[in-house]
Amino acid sequence: MNKTLTAALLLGAGLLAGCSMTGPGNLKVHEVLLYGGTQERIVWVYGNLGSSAQTSVKLGGSTVDLRAQVQDPLAVAGTLSANGKAVYRLPTAPLSAKLSVTRDTRGLFTVAMNDAGGSVYYTDGRTWTRLNAPTGSGVGGTPVSGLRGAGNLTNAEADALGSALLNQGALAVAVLNEASVPDGPLTTEPTPGEYRRTALYVLPGVPTVGATTGAVTPGTPAPPANPGGRVTFTELASGSNANVGTSAVQVATTQAALSTLYNLAYGRQTGMPSVPSLPGNDTVVGVFLGQRATGGYSVQVTGASTQGGVLTLTVALGAPGPGSITTQALTSPWTLVQVPGTYREVRVVDTQGRPFQTGVGSGQVR
């Protein structure tokens, strides 16, 4: 009796040891490796659970529990949840800088990429543009949906990833040569029927600078003294790495004061564009959001009006949303706008009409 039981147990153990992980039906694995401002490996697992409520696979040597997909911005039709999340995530190895991008006030770009890769994409935090060339100056762009056409991403993956990277201010994404990145293909057990791999470099804090001459591009003049009237404003520059720790509003009506604003805005960057000339009857306002612990925060002037000698700027404040992929670095978003005329007072409000809070840092946008 004991010998029979022992033999049965040994046979069962041998059968189990010889079995490999079966995984879901029609298994496909697609991954994107993010470098630069975001060091993360994001893996979509496609498959059919069949009659079972769950199954598992091994990704990178770790067993991952697969179940029905969950509600999440990164969830893509046909995929399964991995350990209760829409995607499986792993860190990527550090990679030296591969991309340099600046945007000018005309909407043209100066791009340099230290890699034999592919397309470069840009977002102002709201929409995406694919640049018409991976390198050069005066480069234009074409509006696109998310990151469509990037590497081996499907359209659904490109849209989901593009949406997750929005609301972080101005950033650029370059398609890298997969052979040049330090992380090898993801080991998967069982072997998937389809495996796709894309490598991207994320560059946060793309600044907007003056046109190539450094001169201000003026807007259509508007009379500043029109009571309750709208005022035309021009965005001179913007970015996400100011040398400012707390939220602040700074006003410049002289050339010296404008130089001070530029030094604050570009104080943490290796290079600063030339300071444009300020006409004697114009005002430049700098709105600084203050230091934040991650990317995903932004500030943009959306309107200007004047009444009784008081200039009121309306700003849209951005913060990272649920499921967004934030750049893991300290940021300090800012914007500089030029307005015709001078004013006895400058006020800044958000899109709900609430006063912009100054003196706030290292916290949430309020």
Side-chain angles (χ1 to χ4, degrees):
M1 186 73 172
N2 289 338
K3 290 183 179 179
T4 303
L5 177 60
T6 300
L9 290 173
L10 290 172
L11 177 61
L15 290 172
L16 288 174
C19 290
S20 61
M21 194 169 294
T22 57
N26 195 27
L27 175 63
K28 300 177 182 178
V29 174
H30 296 178
E31 67 164 335
V32 57
L33 297 97
L34 303 178
Y35 298 95
T38 300
Q39 295 283 156
E40 199 165 19
R41 191 172 201 155
I42 295 173
V43 185
W44 287 277
V45 180
Y46 294 79
N48 304 318
L49 290 175
S51 59
S52 62
Q54 69 180 97
T55 184
S56 60
V57 295
K58 279 191 175 181
L59 299 176
S62 298
T63 300
V64 178
D65 178 45
L66 302 178
R67 296 175 184 259
Q69 188 55 278
V70 297
Q71 292 291 326
D72 188 274
L74 284 172
V76 171
T79 59
L80 300 171
S81 68
N83 292 340
K85 304 293 184 181
V87 293
Y88 186 63
R89 289 175 160 173
L90 292 167
T92 53
L95 187 66
S96 59
K98 291 286 185 180
L99 182 66
S100 172
V101 178
T102 60
R103 175 182 178 272
D104 68 29
T105 51
R106 302 168 300 174
L108 300 179
F109 300 85
T110 298
V111 192
M113 185 162 63
N114 183 26
D115 189 272
S119 301
V120 177
Y121 296 74
Y122 167 83
T123 177
D124 58 2
R126 297 173 300 280
T127 60
W128 282 96
T129 298
R130 183 168 59 205
L131 304 193
N132 295 336
T135 59
S137 59
V139 176
T142 302
V144 290
S145 174
L147 292 167
R148 290 196 177 192
N152 297 309
L153 295 174
T154 68
N155 284 344
E157 292 163 357
D159 289 345
L161 184 60
S163 295
L165 285 169
L166 288 179
N167 303 315
Q168 299 194 58
L171 59 81
V173 176
V175 180
L176 298 177
N177 181 352
E178 297 169 26
S180 70
V181 300
D183 297 281
L186 183 69
T187 59
T188 305
E189 185 186 344
T191 301
E194 179 181 88
Y195 171 73
R196 293 192 183 193
R197 167 180 159 97
T198 299
L200 304 175
Y201 188 89
V202 180
L203 177 69
V206 173
T208 296
V209 300
T212 52
T213 60
V216 174
T217 304
T220 303
N226 180 19
R230 292 184 177 180
V231 178
T232 298
F233 65 91
T234 301
E235 182 182 281
L236 298 185
S238 63
S240 62
N241 199 23
N243 190 21
V244 178
T246 58
S247 54
V249 176
Q250 300 281 349
V251 179
T253 57
T254 66
Q255 193 65 41
L258 182 58
S259 295
T260 299
L261 277 184
Y262 267 71
N263 285 329
L264 287 174
Y266 289 95
R268 289 181 179 168
Q269 299 183 31
T270 55
M272 185 179 81
S274 58
V275 179
S277 298
L278 180 64
N281 196 43
D282 279 14
T283 297
V284 173
V285 181
V287 184
F288 298 90
L289 196 56
Q291 184 171 290
R292 297 294 183 260
T294 68
Y297 297 92
S298 62
V299 56
Q300 182 189 29
V301 176
T302 58
S305 62
T306 181
Q307 185 171 14
V310 176
L311 173 68
T312 300
L313 298 181
T314 300
V315 295
L317 305 176
S324 60
I325 303 170
T326 58
T327 53
Q328 300 302 302
L330 293 177
T331 60
S332 182
W334 58 275
T335 187
L336 302 180
V337 295
Q338 180 189 3
V339 181
T342 56
Y343 307 87
R344 65 177 177 84
E345 184 181 351
V346 175
R347 297 174 181 170
V348 178
V349 299
D350 66 16
T351 53
Q352 304 300 315
R354 297 171 298 195
F356 176 72
Q357 294 191 18
T358 59
V360 178
S362 300
Q364 299 293 322
V365 175
R366 300 192 240 171

